[in-house]
Amino acid sequence: MKDLGNKDTIAKLKTMFLGYPQSTLGIDKVLFLDTTNGIASAKYIAHEKMCHSGGIVQGGFVTGWIDAIMALACMAKCGPDVLVLTLEIKISFLNSAKVGEIISTAKVIKNTKSIAFLEGKIEDTNGTLIATGTSTAKLKHNFYKN
């Protein structure tokens, strides 16, 4: 997919998102950003060190991937200077995540100036749905401005 919306915002968010703390979660690439509708997608690499018994990725990483992509979708829509603070998150684990590439996608369902409602999902490269999530977040504007 091709990025949609403000090119400066997209470039800034891609640079921000590929650094710390996303690097600790195995971020590989931001695949898509839509700054008009608040949609984001990224590829993570699940490593063996993220797994517990039987090569299954620990659920905290799956939760982190969904939480992070929901925040990125929100920043895409609300601006790169917005800090997205998760107030509540619900994750449904549908299948096991295994070592390899993971695709994380999210969108903004609704937002006001101070609150956003978000949803996201994780799939493997075959399109198998691994987990879904929803979140309510508090928005702090002008947080990242210098």
Side-chain angles (χ1 to χ4, degrees), residues 44-60:
Y44 288 88
I45 305 297
H47 299 282
E48 188 68 38
K49 64 186 175 186
M50 298 173 171
C51 296
H52 58 76
S53 56
I56 298 170
V57 175
Q58 198 274 340

Side-chain angles (χ1 to χ4, degrees), residues 11 38 40 45 65 70-71 87-88 92-93 112-113 120 131 145:
I45 305 297
W65 295 329
M70 288 190 293
L87 296 172
E88 166 276 326
S92 296
F93 298 96
T112 67
K113 185 174 179 174
K145 292 217 179 211

Side-chain angles (χ1 to χ4, degrees), residues 74-145:
C74 191
M75 291 171 78
K77 184 170 184 182
C78 298
D81 66 325
V82 174
L83 177 64
V84 181
L85 298 165
T86 302
L87 296 172
E88 166 276 326
I89 190 168
K90 179 183 186 288
I91 304 296
S92 296
F93 298 96
L94 306 171
N95 287 294
S96 298
K98 308 280 188 195
V99 171
E101 295 180 355
I102 302 294
I103 307 299
S104 181
T105 306
K107 65 181 177 178
V108 176
I109 301 303
K110 180 180 171 110
N111 69 286
T112 67
K113 185 174 179 174
S114 60
I115 297 289
F117 300 93
L118 314 164
E119 71 178 20
K121 66 180 179 177
I122 299 288
E123 298 174 304
D124 65 17
T125 55
N126 296 320
T128 301
L129 188 60
I130 294 168
T132 61
T134 58
S135 177
T136 305
K138 179 175 177 56
L139 309 180
K140 291 187 83 171
H141 293 269
N142 300 312
F143 185 81
Y144 294 107
K145 292 217 179 211

